[in-house]
C-alpha cells in the first residue's frame, strides 16, 4: 500500500531510531522492527548471530567474503567483529536489496575501505574477485544466499583458488530450508572438517 518494500520500510525505521555510527545499536533497532513490525530474513544476534561473532573472535580473519548481503544486517554483524586492518567483501544479486544494504552499511559507520559491496550474481562475481576487486584469497566465507547455490559457489571458490589455507566456510540454513548437496560434499570430499551448529529460526 505504501509503494515501498519491506526492506525500505525497515531502513526508514532504522534511520529514524538508530544511532548513526553505532553498529550494535543499528542491529538492535533492526531486531526491534523485525520482532514487532515486519519479518525480515535476517540473522538476529540471539539466534545464529552469536555463532558468527564467536567464529570471528576465534579466527580473526583479515579477508572475509559474504555471499548474500540482503539488507545489510549480516554485513554489519560481520564488519563489527573484524580485526583491525581486515576487509569484508559482500555480494548481493538483487540491486534493490543492495541499495538498501549500502545505506545500512554506511549508516553503521563502515567505509568502502572496510566493507565493499559488490552487486551481481555470485556465479559471475566470484570468478572476477581477483582481477576486478583485488581479492587474492579469503580466510572466511559466510554463505547466506540461495541455498541451491551453496555447492556451486563453493566449487567456484575452489576452482579459482580463492580459499586461503585453513579458511573457514560458515553456511547458514543448511538443514532448513536445507542445502543437502552442499552438506554431502563438505562432509565427503575430504577437504573440510565439518561441524553443524544448532540455532533457532529467525525472530
Amino acid at each position: 500500500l505504501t509503494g515501498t518494500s519491506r526492506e525500505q520500510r525497515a531502513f526508514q525505521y532504522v534511520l529514524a531510531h538508530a544511532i548513526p555510527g553505532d553498529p550494535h545499536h543499528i542491529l538492535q533497532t533492526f531486531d526491534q522492527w523485525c520482532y514487532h513490525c515486519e519479518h525480515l530474513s535476517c540473522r538476529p544476534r540471539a539466534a545464529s548471530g552469536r555463532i558468527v561473532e564467536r567464529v570471528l573472535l576465534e579466527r580473526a580473519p583479515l579477508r572475509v567474503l559474504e555471499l548474500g548481503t540482503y539488507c545489510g544486517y549480516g554485513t554489519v554483524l560481520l564488519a563489527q567483529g573484524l580485526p583491525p586492518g581486515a576487509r569484508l567483501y559482500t555480494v548481493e544479486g538483487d540491486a534493490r536489496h543492495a541499495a538498501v544494504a549500502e545505506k545500512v552499511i554506511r549508516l553503521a559507520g563502515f567505509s568502502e575501505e572496510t566493507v565493499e559491496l559488490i552487486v551481481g550474481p555470485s556465479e559471475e562475481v566470484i570468478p572476477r574477485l581477483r582481477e576486478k576487486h583485488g581479492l587474492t584469497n579469503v580466510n572466511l566465507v559466510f554463505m547466506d544466499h540461495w541455498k541451491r547455490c551453496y555447492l556451486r559457489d563453493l566449487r567456484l571458490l575452489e576452482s579459482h583458488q580463492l580459499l586461503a589455507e585453513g579458511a573457514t566456510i560458515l553456511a547458514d540454513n543448511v538443514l532448513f530450508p536445507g542445502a543437502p548437496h552442499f552438506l554431502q560434499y563438505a562432509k565427503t570430499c575430504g577437504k573440510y572438517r565439518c561441524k553443524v551448529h544448532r540455532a533457532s529460526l529467525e525472530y
Side-chain angles (χ1 to χ4, degrees), residues 16-58:
H17 296 89
I19 301 169
D22 186 337
H24 178 72
H25 194 257
I26 282 172
L27 295 179
Q28 273 189 328
T29 309
F30 255 116
D31 288 342
Q32 288 170 3
W33 173 266
C34 293
Y35 277 119
H36 302 296
C37 299
E38 291 182 283
H39 174 269
L40 293 177
S41 297
C42 301
R43 297 278 94 206
R45 292 180 70 250
S48 57
R50 298 212 180 276
I51 297 168
V52 174
E53 290 175 329
R54 188 172 72 245
V55 169
L56 287 167
L57 189 63
E58 291 172 355

Side-chain angles (χ1 to χ4, degrees), residues 97-172:
H97 292 164
V100 174
E102 181 83 44
K103 296 173 190 173
V104 170
I105 294 162
R106 306 311 167 209
L107 184 67
F110 299 109
S111 69
E112 290 186 12
E113 285 69 40
T114 302
V115 179
E116 180 177 347
L117 174 60
I118 305 167
V119 184
S122 55
E123 71 270 22
E124 295 178 12
V125 172
I126 290 172
R128 303 197 309 259
L129 282 173
R130 180 176 285 111
E131 180 183 342
K132 190 171 180 180
H133 301 279
L135 182 58
T136 53
N137 55 46
V138 294
N139 310 109
L140 172 66
V141 179
F142 181 49
M143 293 185 169
D144 194 18
H145 55 325
W146 294 107
K147 313 313 160 201
R148 65 175 182 270
C149 301
Y150 279 16
L151 178 56
R152 180 202 67 198
D153 288 350
L154 178 59
R155 299 296 296 268
L156 275 174
L157 289 166
E158 291 174 348
S159 64
H160 287 86
Q161 299 179 321
L162 286 165
L163 298 175
E165 186 176 351
T168 300
I169 314 293
L170 193 57
D172 204 9

